[in-house]
Amino acid sequence: LQEPESPEASQFRLAAGQVPEVPFGLSTSPAVLSHYGVAANTVTLFRRVDNDRRDLDINSKDVDAEKMSRFIRINELRLVTEYNPVTAIGVMQSTLQLHLLLITDKMSPKHPDRMRRYRVAAELFKGKILFVLVDSNLKSNERTVSFFKLKKSQLPALAIFHVPDETQDVLTLDEVSVERIQDFCNRFLQ
């Protein structure tokens, strides 16, 4: 931003408060803006998972804190991104062409342990495979589950998908382990 006390800066600070899990920074330094190739009055989201970035021009008068936080929620990708109607756009626009989906019941008592292992595996393939969590309980995810020809009785399952040619493979699991995830991904990559 050009002015740290501008209305845009105020809206930016409000957006930062609405998305506390994302680190925010504000710069008015021409050197910093030049280094990142950022135009003035722009929100730039740096995504570590695929080393990509998204820019939102906030010069328009209709860009407020709500629109900024929506932009961030849509485009932010984490080590493991939960798939839902808001994140779907960011997942589909990822520069990573290989997506690994853990399709599971988030209400299961085993869910926290499954996620811990899934995140460990995601670290191993960072920058190569986008790790996505699909909650089988969400009505909006029923199409995703059926796309991989899975039934609820077959879950949890891993589904790997290569975006350009839609090549896919599915592995049903009794137990989610780092080793099984690693083997499944490596076999598909080969």
Side-chain angles (χ1 to χ4, degrees):
L1 298 170
Q2 292 173 332
E3 291 297 320
E5 301 308 318
S6 67
E8 294 89 359
S10 175
Q11 291 298 306
F12 180 79
R13 287 183 186 92
L14 284 171
Q18 293 173 358
V19 193
E21 64 277 12
V22 175
F24 280 73
L26 182 82
S27 179
T28 57
S29 164
V32 170
L33 298 178
S34 173
H35 174 77
Y36 289 108
V38 174
N41 295 335
T42 300
V43 172
T44 299
L45 178 68
F46 297 97
R47 302 188 323 185
R48 290 188 310 215
V49 74
D50 62 359
N51 293 321
D52 200 12
R53 69 185 255 190
R54 297 286 188 267
D55 293 326
L56 173 66
D57 180 353
I58 58 172
N59 281 320
S60 170
K61 295 294 177 215
D62 66 338
V63 175
D64 59 7
E66 280 305 311
K67 288 187 178 153
M68 284 183 216
S69 56
R70 179 167 167 69
F71 165 79
I72 291 162
R73 292 204 187 279
I74 286 172
N75 289 291
E76 120 179 81
L77 293 180
R78 299 165 176 262
L79 204 51
V80 174
T81 301
E82 184 169 350
Y83 186 82
N84 58 47
V86 174
T87 61
I89 296 166
V91 168
M92 296 305 173
Q93 292 179 345
S94 171
T95 58
L96 296 176
Q97 300 292 297
L98 206 51
H99 298 179
L100 180 70
L101 288 67
L102 171 60
I103 305 169
T104 188
D105 175 0
K106 278 182 60 178
M107 301 308 286
S108 165
K110 294 181 179 180
H111 179 72
D113 199 42
R114 286 179 186 147
M115 282 306 297
R116 186 183 53 74
R117 292 181 183 140
Y118 195 56
R119 281 190 188 94
V120 169
E123 272 293 343
L124 301 173
F125 292 95
K126 190 175 172 181
K128 295 180 194 145
I129 300 174
L130 180 63
F131 277 60
V132 180
L133 169 67
V134 177
D135 183 1
S136 59
N137 290 318
L138 285 182
K139 186 130 182 88
S140 59
N141 288 338
E142 287 176 358
R143 285 185 42 204
T144 304
V145 175
S146 67
F147 177 81
F148 292 103
K149 297 171 181 59
L150 288 166
K151 296 179 179 77
K152 279 204 174 205
S153 61
Q154 296 174 293
L155 302 178
L158 292 173
I160 197 161
F161 182 75
H162 186 245
V163 177
D165 61 9
E166 297 189 0
T167 306
Q168 61 176 277
D169 195 6
V170 175
L171 174 68
T172 57
L173 304 162
D174 305 335
E175 201 55 45
V176 174
S177 74
V178 176
E179 295 76 21
R180 293 207 54 202
I181 296 168
Q182 221 175 340
D183 290 345
F184 182 62
C185 291
N186 285 332
R187 268 198 329 257
F188 193 83
L189 287 168
Q190 289 172 353

